[in-house]
Amino acid sequence: MTTADAMPIVFVHGTRFSAGQWSTQVAALHDEFPVTAVDLPGHGERTAEPWSLSAATEIIASAVGALDRGPALVVGHSLGGYASLEFARQRPDRLRGLILAGASASTRGPWTAPYRWVTRLVPRIPADRLARWNDQLLRRLYPPHVVEATIRSGYAFHTLPAAWDEVLGRFDAGAMRHVKAPVLILNGEKDSLFRAGESDFARAHPRARVELIPRARHLANFDAPDAFTDAVRRFARQLLADD
């Protein structure tokens, strides 16, 4: 298989991060697949752009178009997973497959109250302090080659309230009915919070399946980068084989 024949892949990062979250996956997959990672509005190189799900959808669509290989496999983590669900609803013609990573919990209901509290708290803490805490946490938990691109790109704490205010109350398993392509729900085994609706999300789609990354948490692509990459690779190859 050559990259000219292969499945295009677009990675969509999670809360406060940027395209750098996917540096390990992009490096590992680029010899086989046309692959890119986006910055969502208000994140990374788009830090000055206002957040909206509509703008996020257009950014993902532009990335698919830039690869120029037709509909793509879109891989979204957490916030990026919910943005990818919205992309699947708005632009089904541009989607060949969807991987939801850490994004199979309903964003409706009383359990979301702590997240609403966080969206109010974050703006009260100086951004440089939050950045130092995040740098220290990532460097303590993960090898440099996994997280340095994320650290260099900085964090979008200023965008977090607007992003989660729009996502909270909007998504549940019913969103899967709008996805016309096959779906892989790819979660860290220990990500109990975002696995809460895993079975409901899977049952809501006739071509969805669940795969767990052993011992991984919410940031499964940091906890087990090789296993995460292998899961994406297998799913992409399966999509091609099923054509």
Side-chain angles (χ1 to χ4, degrees):
M1 181 191 305
T2 67
T3 54
D5 305 319
M7 175 74 57
I9 304 175
V10 175
F11 286 94
V12 189
H13 63 80
T15 301
R16 79 189 181 280
F17 290 153
S18 67
Q21 177 182 348
W22 303 109
S23 59
T24 303
Q25 281 68 48
V26 170
L29 294 168
H30 82 276
D31 285 341
E32 183 175 353
F33 303 97
V35 59
T36 191
V38 302
D39 286 329
L40 292 174
H43 298 75
E45 294 185 356
R46 298 179 180 271
T47 187
E49 298 179 16
W51 166 268
S52 74
L53 275 173
S54 178
T57 292
E58 289 308 309
I59 287 168
I60 298 169
S62 293
V64 175
L67 290 175
D68 197 23
R69 296 292 190 274
L73 167 59
V74 175
V75 184
H77 173 258
S78 195
L79 174 66
Y82 296 111
S84 298
L85 275 172
E86 183 67 9
F87 171 76
R89 184 181 73 84
Q90 292 193 24
R91 301 298 296 271
D93 58 309
R94 308 301 290 155
L95 186 70
R96 199 164 174 185
L98 176 64
I99 296 181
L100 293 178
S104 54
S106 172
T107 66
R108 304 177 187 269
W111 81 269
T112 64
Y115 280 83
R116 297 187 186 279
W117 178 80
V118 168
T119 64
R120 294 192 296 269
L121 175 64
V122 164
R124 301 177 185 178
I125 303 173
D128 60 343
R129 183 181 301 174
L130 291 169
R132 286 196 303 273
W133 289 346
N134 273 258
D135 288 352
Q136 292 167 3
L137 179 65
L138 292 178
R139 287 180 171 135
R140 184 168 69 247
L141 293 177
Y142 306 111
H145 75 277
V146 173
V147 296
E148 281 304 322
T150 293
I151 292 170
R152 284 196 306 271
S153 298
Y155 309 99
F157 297 112
H158 66 290
T159 301
L160 188 152
W164 279 101
D165 277 350
E166 188 173 15
V167 167
L168 292 173
R170 189 180 187 109
F171 294 97
D172 58 19
M176 297 287 280
R177 295 195 299 269
H178 301 293
V179 183
K180 306 306 180 185
V183 181
L184 173 62
I185 298 171
L186 182 61
N187 287 327
E189 178 189 16
K190 296 184 177 181
D191 186 13
S192 57
L193 183 60
F194 282 88
R195 290 185 60 196
E198 183 180 82
S199 297
D200 293 336
F201 273 62
R203 283 195 297 266
H205 192 286
R207 291 185 291 168
R209 65 178 178 86
V210 176
E211 183 172 339
L212 300 181
I213 306 294
R215 299 176 296 281
R217 295 155 294 189
H218 186 55
L219 290 169
N221 76 300
F222 286 174
D223 285 321
D226 291 342
F228 192 100
T229 301
D230 286 345
V232 174
R233 182 184 290 111
R234 289 194 306 272
F235 189 61
R237 288 175 175 173
Q238 186 62 56
L239 291 173
L240 285 168
D242 289 345
D243 282 352

